[in-house]
Amino acid sequence: MDELEVLPKNIVLIGFMGSGKSTVGRELHQRLGYSLTDMDRLIEETVGKKITEIFKEEGEKVFRDFETLQLVEIAKQTGKRHIISTGGGIVIRPENRSLLRKLGYVVWLHAPEDVIFERTSKNKERPLLNHQDARERITSLLAERKPWYRETAHLKVDTAGLDSSEIAAGILESARYYFTNAV
Ligand code: S3P
């Protein structure tokens, strides 16, 4: 059987911190009525700690393990369609990247570095950027991760100048085309 014939019709949002995954995820959820799975929130609920606490008390490796575990659990769910909003570092592990593509239509939300810096500097909920040199960290993490986002995504959306409603509308159109031609 063709791999595409068994592809579940989830929409998976990937992209760097501050690229708008959660906001666009909520917008898609409202428009489509699919369940919304926000992986960061799910990890916080399951573990009973904020992400900043997990990083601080247990370290990044433990957080990444939770992330992969969560992805494996989501992949086991069949039937119900989901909008899956991921954490920006989900693409670091190769096994996550291949799982993501099996989950559905993967959309990379891409925002300019300036926008990312402006958005992420407004809150302290992101342990990887809670540093004096946040700007440099964004530059280097982005450079490292871009090839992984590119490799994982079926669609790249340049979000500059668009609001979440416009972004969601564009994603829906492409997803419909993709799903129609995939089955
Ligand atoms: C991370 C991104 C965060 C969260 C964690 C690590 C990353 O999610 O998963 O702080 O490595 O890029 P958002 O992309 O939703 O901010």
Side-chain angles (χ1 to χ4, degrees):
M1 195 190 287
D2 189 318
E3 189 208 332
L4 291 176
E5 285 181 66
V6 291
L7 196 69
K9 291 184 178 180
N10 299 307
I11 297 177
V12 185
L13 302 176
I14 63 170
F16 203 75
M17 294 171 263
S19 59
K21 299 171 300 249
S22 299
T23 317
V24 173
R26 280 193 295 273
E27 183 79 35
L28 288 169
H29 162 67
Q30 276 161 16
R31 285 173 182 243
L32 277 170
Y34 292 10
S35 314
L36 176 63
T37 303
D38 187 318
M39 289 190 60
D40 282 347
R41 297 297 81 78
L42 211 56
I43 290 171
E44 290 186 332
E45 280 166 29
T46 312
V47 181
K49 287 181 185 176
K50 302 287 284 176
I51 284 170
T52 38
E53 292 169 333
I54 303 175
F55 267 75
K56 200 168 152 205
E57 293 166 17
E58 305 178 48
E60 182 173 349
K61 158 95 174 49
V62 170
F63 173 76
R64 297 298 171 204
D65 289 342
F66 283 134
E67 216 173 22
T68 301
L69 212 66
Q70 193 76 254
L71 208 53
V72 171
E73 285 307 311
I74 294 170
K76 283 185 197 158
Q77 295 172 14
T78 50
K80 219 162 152 210
R81 293 175 182 175
H82 293 259
I83 306 295
I84 301 163
S85 169
T86 62
I90 194 86
V91 294
I92 294 174
R93 292 189 175 174
E95 66 266 38
N96 292 359
R97 300 201 290 274
S98 65
L99 257 179
L100 286 166
R101 280 191 69 97
K102 287 186 189 134
L103 278 177
Y105 188 55
V106 184
V107 179
W108 169 22
L109 297 185
H110 179 264
E113 214 174 296
D114 286 345
V115 174
I116 285 173
F117 179 65
E118 204 219 295
R119 285 188 191 152
T120 54
S121 57
K122 285 185 191 144
N123 78 56
K124 297 287 159 219
E125 299 287 306
R126 296 184 170 97
L128 292 180
L129 302 180
N130 277 347
H131 295 267
Q132 294 262 311
D133 61 348
R135 183 73 205 225
E136 287 77 42
R137 301 206 76 178
I138 290 172
T139 307
S140 66
L141 283 172
L142 255 179
E144 182 181 40
R145 291 176 180 181
K146 263 187 191 169
W148 296 327
Y149 293 132
R150 191 170 291 118
E151 168 195 319
T152 311
H154 294 100
L155 173 76
K156 176 187 176 202
V157 178
D158 282 305
T159 61
L162 299 177
D163 64 29
S164 57
S165 158
E166 291 165 323
I167 297 166
I171 292 172
L172 280 183
E173 202 171 312
S174 315
R176 277 199 190 107
Y177 181 81
Y178 176 79
F179 289 138
T180 310
N181 288 283
V183 285

